[in-house]
Amino acid sequence: MHENLKLQSGKIKIPRISDVAGLAGVSIATVSRTLSHPDMVSAEARARVQAAIQSTGYSPNPTARALRGAGGNLALVVVPNLITPFFSELLQHIDRALSRRGFALLVGNLDDDGEKAQRLADLAYGGQVAGAILLNGSVLCGRRGLVGNGILPAVAVSQPFDRDIPSMLLDESHAIGLAFDHLSGLGHRWLGYLSGPARDPVDDLRWRALQTCADGAGGPKPVRFEGDFEMGSGVDAANAYLAMPRHPTAIVAASDAMAIGFISAVHAAGLDVPGDVSVTGFDGIAMADIIQPHLTTVIQPQIEIAEYAVAALAAQIKGRTGVASRVLRAQLRIGGSTSPPRRSFDENRSFMEP
C-alpha cells in the first residue's frame, strides 16, 4: 500500500486528480494535459505534476484513457436534477439518440451537491468519458477550463457558456412572445410570471423577454413570483397570488411543473382556471396533456434538441472541429387553461397592479 494512501472512517482514500493538482500548485486541466498531451505543458509544470503523482500515488485509469483515445463509448450528460420532468423526458430522447450511435449514457445528476460535482469533474478529467452534454455545465466550465481547451468534447444545451463549445439554445424571446401574444390576444393585459431560480441565465432571458413584451404593448409591468421550476414552487406562487389584494388575470409560468402546481393550488382555493385566471406553461411535458384543464404551453422541441446535441458531440469525438451551434424555436400548444378574462382590464380597475 502506498504510504500516502490514508484511512478515513476505516476506508482507504484513493488519491484523486484534484489532490495531484493541489500538491503541484497547478490546475486540474494542467494535470490532465500532462497525462494526455504533455507537449502542451511546460517542462517546469510537467516536473511538478510528475512529482505530485509520485508523492500521492495517483494512478490514472489506463483502460478508460485507452477507450477515450479510441473514441470511447460513454457519454456524460450533466443535469441540474432529475426531479424536473423536462430533464427526465429530454434524457430519454438523448439516451435513444446516443444508443443509435453506439454510445452508452452516464447521467451526472448535480442536485446542488458539491461533492457530486467534484466526482463528475474527476471522471471527466480522468478520461473516463468520451464527451459530455451539458444541461448544466458549471461543474465542467469553471475556472479549471475543462471544455474549450481540447480536453473534453462537449455540447451545451439550453444554457449558453463562455467557452468555445457548440451549443443548442432555444430562442427564449420568441418563446415567451408566443405565450404573451396568445394571452394579449385573448384580452389579458396584466400578467404574473412564475420564475425559475434567481440568477438562472435561462430564466433571466425569459423574464426580460416578458417585460419587453409588456412594455411594447403599453401594459402594466408583470408581477414576478419567485420559483425554481418545480411543482412545489408553483403552489407557493399560488398562495402568494391568492394573498394579493388585486390579481393579474393571467399567469405565465417558466415551466409546466410550476404551472401545474399553481393550477392545483388555486383550484383547491375555489378559483376556476381559466375563468378566474388563465395559465400558460413552458416545456411541453407529457403531464401538460393529462391535467384538467389541458395546459396551454410553450413546447420545447425535445427530440430535435436531443438529436442535435448527440450529433454535435459525436462529431467532436471523431475529431471534427468547428461544429456549428444552433438556435431553435418553440411552438405554442393551446389547451383549456387559457380563455378571455371575465372582465377587461379597463372595465375593472381591480385588475390594476398595486
Side-chain angles (χ1 to χ4, degrees):
M1 182 183 299
H2 195 281
E3 63 181 4
N4 286 297
L5 294 182
K6 297 179 180 179
L7 290 175
Q8 290 188 347
S9 302
K11 296 183 179 180
I12 293 176
K13 179 187 176 183
I14 305 298
R16 303 194 304 185
I17 194 170
S18 55
D19 299 324
V20 175
L23 185 59
V26 299
S27 68
I28 294 180
T30 298
V31 178
S32 182
R33 281 193 292 268
T34 300
L35 294 168
S36 57
H37 303 288
D39 56 311
M40 297 174 59
V41 182
S42 70
E44 186 267 339
R46 283 201 310 270
R48 293 210 310 271
V49 170
Q50 293 296 343
I53 289 173
Q54 184 175 3
S55 176
T56 60
Y58 173 73
S59 178
N61 185 326
T63 302
R65 298 187 73 81
L67 272 175
R68 177 147 162 214
N73 68 343
L74 189 60
L76 172 66
V77 180
V78 180
V79 297
N81 63 68
L82 290 175
I83 298 175
T84 305
F86 173 73
F87 288 128
S88 297
E89 293 182 9
L90 181 57
L91 274 174
Q92 293 179 5
H93 296 300
I94 291 174
D95 184 38
R96 295 187 187 112
L98 285 169
S99 181
R100 287 196 300 271
R101 290 169 173 82
F103 290 93
L105 170 67
L106 174 64
V107 178
N109 179 26
L110 293 180
D111 200 25
D112 293 324
D113 188 323
E115 290 188 5
K116 283 185 178 180
Q118 180 60 59
R119 289 196 295 272
L120 291 177
D122 284 347
L123 279 173
Y125 279 108
Q128 298 183 53
V129 295
I133 296 175
L134 310 175
L135 307 187
N136 182 318
S138 60
V139 63
L140 302 180
C141 293
R143 283 178 286 179
R144 289 174 291 181
L146 178 62
V147 299
N149 288 326
I151 298 174
L152 183 74
V155 178
V157 174
S158 296
Q159 293 192 17
F161 300 114
D162 60 359
R163 299 285 178 175
D164 185 22
I165 61 174
S167 60
M168 200 306 302
L169 304 177
L170 190 72
D171 187 336
E172 303 290 352
S173 296
H174 171 261
I176 287 295
L178 292 174
F180 180 88
D181 289 346
H182 171 65
L183 293 170
S184 179
L186 291 173
H188 296 278
R189 290 192 62 199
W190 188 30
L191 308 180
Y193 178 72
L194 273 61
S195 78
R199 297 180 298 278
D200 181 273
V202 171
D203 184 73
D204 183 58
L205 290 172
R206 293 175 187 175
W207 170 235
R208 286 192 284 114
L210 184 63
Q211 291 175 302
T212 298
C213 287
D215 288 344
K221 295 179 179 179
V223 178
R224 182 183 175 99
F225 300 92
E226 296 296 330
D228 60 7
F229 295 135
E230 307 302 334
M231 196 174 297
S233 65
V235 174
D236 293 340
N239 292 331
Y241 173 88
L242 293 167
M244 295 176 66
R246 294 181 287 274
H247 304 95
T249 60
I251 296 293
V252 176
S255 77
D256 288 342
M258 289 194 298
I260 291 169
F262 181 92
I263 290 172
S264 175
V266 296
H267 273 170
L271 270 63
D272 177 66
V273 176
D276 293 310
V277 56
S278 288
V279 180
T280 66
F282 201 110
D283 287 335
I285 63 174
M287 195 182 300
D289 256 351
I290 297 175
I291 66 161
Q292 293 297 328
H294 293 173
L295 184 63
T296 296
T297 183
V298 175
I299 301 176
Q300 296 204 57
Q302 293 185 17
I303 294 177
E304 192 173 356
I305 291 171
E307 292 291 341
Y308 165 75
V310 172
L313 183 65
Q316 291 181 83
I317 291 172
K318 292 179 180 178
R320 281 183 51 192
T321 59
V323 178
S325 297
R326 289 188 62 188
V327 176
L328 300 180
R329 287 201 160 190
Q331 295 181 329
L332 182 72
R333 182 176 64 209
I334 299 175
S337 66
T338 51
S339 70
R342 285 178 173 167
R343 298 176 186 174
S344 73
F345 179 89
D346 293 320
E347 290 171 340
N348 186 351
R349 302 302 288 181
S350 70
F351 288 137
M352 290 186 66
E353 62 176 320

